[in-house]
Amino acid sequence: MKLAELGEFGLIDRIKANVAASPSVLLGIGDDAAALSPTPGQVTLITSDMLLEGVHFDLSFCDPRTLGRKSLSVNLSDVAAMGARPRHFLLGVALPKEIPLEFMDGFMAGMLEQAQRYGATLVGGDTCASKGGLAISVTALGEQRPELVLKRSGAKPGDLICVTGTVGDAAAGLKQLFAGVREGFLVSRQLDPTPRVEAGVALAEAGVVTAMIDVSDGVLQDLGHICEMSGVGARLELARLPLSDAYRAGCGDDLFALALSGGEDYELLFCIPAGKEAEVAALCAKVDLPVSVIGEITAGTGMKLTAPDGSSYTPPRRGFDHFGAD
Amino acid sequence: MKLAELGEFGLIDRIKANVAASPSVLLGIGDDAAALSPTPGQVTLITSDMLLEGVHFDLSFCDPRTLGRKSLSVNLSDVAAMGARPRHFLLGVALPKEIPLEFMDGFMAGMLEQAQRYGATLVGGDTCASKGGLAISVTALGEQRPELVLKRSGAKPGDLICVTGTVGDAAAGLKQLFAGVREGFLVSRQLDPTPRVEAGVALAEAGVVTAMIDVSDGVLQDLGHICEMSGVGARLELARLPLSDAYRAGCGDDLFALALSGGEDYELLFCIPAGKEAEVAALCAKVDLPVSVIGEITAGTGMKLTAPDGSSYTPPRRGFDHFGAD
């Protein structure tokens, strides 16, 4: 069947049929707006991201199910980076008319399986026709007690800088995709990232984190946001960057370039007071996630990068800017 | 200055500088997610709409400021159709690199002036580059006491069907735009609709409305949604449709076609128990908005349209479907 036969409202009904009810959703898909019941004593965390064909994704690189998962994951990652639990989300999708219905079915199956895994309910959105490529917009909502919300702005000189998992994988995976590789660890890290929801919530509830962000634009750029918002500087020891074996094999000539400036790892980058590293490692171990201390927050501004041989390191580029020249 | 010189984060800072603080916003633009403090005892109404260049708007038809206002208005209209007060919104925007910074400044000025007028605060979103046209995604949030929220599903046989303002103007305005007209009442109704926020809230708080929707897809289609969700039918008397003089002059051969199936009037279409029409007229008069009774909810299903001469009327098309053939 084609989308034109099903129609806009047929498509909405088809999506709605696969969404489970949730006690916090008084009114879900199918009215002018959804009605949500906030949990008393908690604040609402809300974030929104657009994903555009030709900019954020290439349909020849991935199947619809994986794209559906990733479109939600990148938003859940932002909720996790606040230390919040995902609760609800909205999906806006602009579809080229020639896209087969099977594409949309696969996309929704991926998105809804990821939603179920992380406790988020689809409550509304928008479907329309696109005269250009596929455009996706997701708005995700989470909740947390106000005193536990983790901002970018609380880092203090002397804090240790930590990152979960490994970095650079997604950027190395993108390089492989452009070279024609379609599977493997790095490719999967690029196409199907895991939002660190359990770790984000555990870190928030332990009360040990002073500032947190997710690695979407690259370690340097995202650490730069923490530094700017906290009014501090940072010293990074490149020898301590957590790099996967696949990354080491596939990253190219400069071992650190993609790990520092490549985006889309969706790991959590955060700061803790010195002495808390064992507690944090134990916390992350509980959710099966390695964590590494990669440097220290410093007074003043600016970032200092130290290579394994002790020399000063200058990265070839800092991170991704949507309106930049490259 | 060009967008590329300002950069993604420079653009975000530029937007942020024009956003006023609000006590319900614990954390606004500039972190991974915004943190909002829900009003105790109220539910959150949330809605999201995409607007795409070449599908929803044509940049040769309107200035950036007007487009900014409309992009927010269509979302505020959905919040109003629930009987809720707008509170916050997020903006996602994908910008072609060649768009001048002045465009974005004008767009934001329009959006923020509309936001201020209706009490909504910009709290976050996403900016990215587009390789196709301009794409806009707005998510709007409102609040209301749960017992006052107006759904599509409460209409009962015997209820009177009401609509605010006049209908068909926006569709007639679009016809004029395609014919080269760039100003006047009808064009302004298409490019710069007024969300009926005060009327929506007043109707909800009076407790007289059984079902409500905004007219975005056309009277027939939107009334059809109320009928479907309420399990009822409807009888419309075309002689009672509120038509502006400008519409009568510019609508073409069939006086009722665009008034019934043209979308984007963003008027409120709602049902009330018989006998409540004077109360509702008084309520709407307080916010300077005319209201008309245009028909009656019937038992069963199906819609019956009666022409002024008493004959049965069949519309040439029902309303807008994004994936439809035309």
Side-chain angles (χ1 to χ4, degrees):
Chain A
M1 187 158 40
K2 287 186 176 172
L3 267 176
E5 292 165 49
L6 188 63
E8 182 183 352
F9 302 105
L11 177 63
I12 295 171
D13 286 343
R14 194 176 176 96
I15 293 172
K16 192 178 168 180
N18 292 308
V19 175
S22 158
S24 64
V25 181
L26 303 181
L27 199 61
I29 298 167
D31 215 301
D32 291 288
L36 310 177
S37 184
T39 305
Q42 304 218 347
V43 293
T44 302
L45 288 306
I46 184 163
T47 180
S48 186
D49 264 320
M50 292 179 98
L51 290 94
L52 305 177
E53 186 179 348
V55 179
H56 299 88
F57 62 89
D58 184 322
L59 290 178
S60 70
F61 286 177
C62 64
D63 63 289
R65 193 172 191 119
T66 308
L67 181 63
R69 275 203 302 270
K70 178 167 178 176
S71 302
L72 184 60
S73 297
V74 301
N75 282 281
L76 297 184
S77 178
D78 278 323
V79 171
M82 306 302 295
R85 268 176 228 284
R87 303 275 283 150
H88 310 108
F89 71 104
L90 293 91
L91 167 66
V93 62
L95 293 162
K97 283 197 188 184
E98 68 272 19
I99 274 198
L101 187 55
E102 291 70 37
F103 178 93
M104 204 51 208
D105 285 343
F107 178 86
M108 287 310 307
M111 182 165 272
L112 293 176
E113 80 191 354
Q114 198 73 332
Q116 191 177 16
R117 183 168 166 203
Y118 295 104
T121 304
L122 178 62
V123 298
D126 188 25
T127 57
C128 62
S130 164
K131 288 190 176 166
L134 176 64
I136 299 158
S137 170
V138 175
T139 301
L141 294 93
E143 287 187 321
Q144 185 50 284
R145 283 159 45 202
E147 68 277 17
L148 298 183
V149 168
L150 296 175
K151 308 176 196 175
R152 297 177 178 180
S153 58
K156 287 185 183 50
D159 280 359
L160 302 176
I161 303 165
C162 304
V163 69
T164 60
T166 52
V167 290
D169 298 330
L174 186 61
K175 226 180 81 172
Q176 288 193 342
L177 282 162
F178 279 121
V181 182
R182 289 289 176 272
E183 52 182 23
F185 175 77
L186 297 178
V187 164
S188 144
R189 289 274 288 166
Q190 164 61 226
L191 297 179
D192 198 6
T194 304
R196 301 306 188 187
V197 171
E198 296 90 347
V201 172
L203 287 165
E205 292 181 348
V208 288
V209 171
T210 56
M212 189 150 80
I213 193 170
D214 68 330
V215 183
S216 54
D217 295 327
V219 166
L220 285 192
Q221 186 128 291
D222 291 317
L223 180 56
H225 291 314
I226 286 186
C227 288
E228 198 190 340
M229 301 290 285
S230 302
V232 295
R235 189 171 59 233
L236 281 190
E237 289 175 52
L238 304 195
R240 306 181 77 171
L241 278 176
L243 307 177
S244 67
D245 292 342
Y247 173 83
R248 288 174 191 273
C251 68
D253 290 340
D254 186 329
L255 183 62
F256 302 114
L258 289 181
L260 289 170
S261 63
E264 300 208 84
D265 286 314
Y266 298 105
E267 296 295 344
L268 294 173
L269 181 70
F270 57 97
C271 301
I272 56 170
K276 294 286 186 186
E277 51 273 44
E279 184 182 344
V280 162
L283 254 164
C284 288
K286 266 196 200 162
V287 295
D288 281 325
L289 192 60
V291 63
S292 308
V293 174
I294 59 171
E296 197 181 303
I297 294 295
T298 56
T301 57
M303 225 176 281
K304 216 180 127 182
L305 311 180
T306 308
D309 65 4
S311 68
S312 175
Y313 175 90
T314 306
R317 77 195 268 272
R318 195 170 155 178
F320 190 72
D321 184 316
H322 260 287
F323 306 114
D326 52 333
Chain B
M1 187 158 39
K2 287 186 177 173
L3 267 176
E5 292 165 50
L6 188 64
E8 182 182 354
F9 301 105
L11 177 63
I12 295 171
D13 286 343
R14 196 177 175 95
I15 293 172
K16 192 178 168 181
N18 292 308
V19 175
S22 159
S24 63
V25 182
L26 303 181
L27 200 59
I29 298 167
D31 215 300
D32 291 290
L36 310 177
S37 185
T39 306
Q42 305 219 347
V43 293
T44 302
L45 289 306
I46 183 164
T47 179
S48 186
D49 264 320
M50 290 178 99
L51 291 95
L52 306 176
E53 186 178 348
V55 178
H56 299 89
F57 62 88
D58 184 322
L59 290 179
S60 69
F61 286 177
C62 64
D63 63 289
R65 193 174 191 119
T66 308
L67 181 63
R69 275 203 301 271
K70 179 167 178 176
S71 301
L72 183 60
S73 297
V74 301
N75 281 282
L76 296 183
S77 179
D78 278 323
V79 171
M82 306 302 295
R85 268 175 228 285
R87 303 275 284 151
H88 310 109
F89 70 105
L90 292 91
L91 167 66
V93 61
L95 292 162
K97 282 198 189 183
E98 68 272 20
I99 273 197
L101 186 55
E102 291 69 38
F103 178 93
M104 204 51 208
D105 284 344
F107 178 86
M108 287 311 308
M111 182 164 272
L112 293 176
E113 79 190 357
Q114 199 73 331
Q116 190 177 16
R117 184 169 165 202
Y118 295 104
T121 304
L122 177 62
V123 297
D126 188 26
T127 57
C128 61
S130 164
K131 287 189 178 167
L134 176 65
I136 300 157
S137 169
V138 175
T139 301
L141 294 93
E143 287 188 322
Q144 186 50 284
R145 283 160 44 201
E147 68 277 16
L148 298 184
V149 168
L150 295 175
K151 308 176 197 176
R152 297 177 176 179
S153 58
K156 286 184 184 53
D159 280 359
L160 302 176
I161 302 165
C162 306
V163 69
T164 59
T166 52
V167 290
D169 298 329
L174 186 62
K175 227 179 80 171
Q176 288 194 340
L177 282 162
F178 280 120
V181 182
R182 290 289 174 274
E183 52 183 23
F185 174 77
L186 297 177
V187 164
S188 143
R189 289 275 288 164
Q190 163 63 226
L191 297 179
D192 198 6
T194 303
R196 302 305 189 188
V197 171
E198 296 90 347
V201 171
L203 287 165
E205 292 182 347
V208 287
V209 171
T210 57
M212 188 152 79
I213 193 170
D214 68 330
V215 182
S216 54
D217 295 327
V219 166
L220 283 192
Q221 185 130 291
D222 291 316
L223 179 57
H225 293 312
I226 285 185
C227 288
E228 197 189 341
M229 301 290 284
S230 302
V232 296
R235 189 171 60 233
L236 281 190
E237 289 175 53
L238 304 196
R240 306 182 77 173
L241 278 177
L243 306 177
S244 66
D245 292 342
Y247 173 84
R248 288 175 190 273
C251 68
D253 290 342
D254 186 328
L255 183 62
F256 302 115
L258 289 181
L260 288 169
S261 62
E264 302 207 85
D265 286 314
Y266 298 105
E267 296 295 343
L268 294 173
L269 181 71
F270 57 97
C271 302
I272 55 171
K276 295 285 186 185
E277 50 274 42
E279 184 181 344
V280 163
L283 254 165
C284 288
K286 266 195 200 161
V287 295
D288 282 326
L289 192 60
V291 63
S292 309
V293 174
I294 59 172
E296 198 181 303
I297 294 294
T298 56
T301 57
M303 224 175 283
K304 218 179 124 184
L305 311 180
T306 308
D309 65 3
S311 69
S312 175
Y313 175 90
T314 306
R317 77 196 268 271
R318 195 171 155 176
F320 190 70
D321 184 315
H322 261 288
F323 306 114
D326 52 332

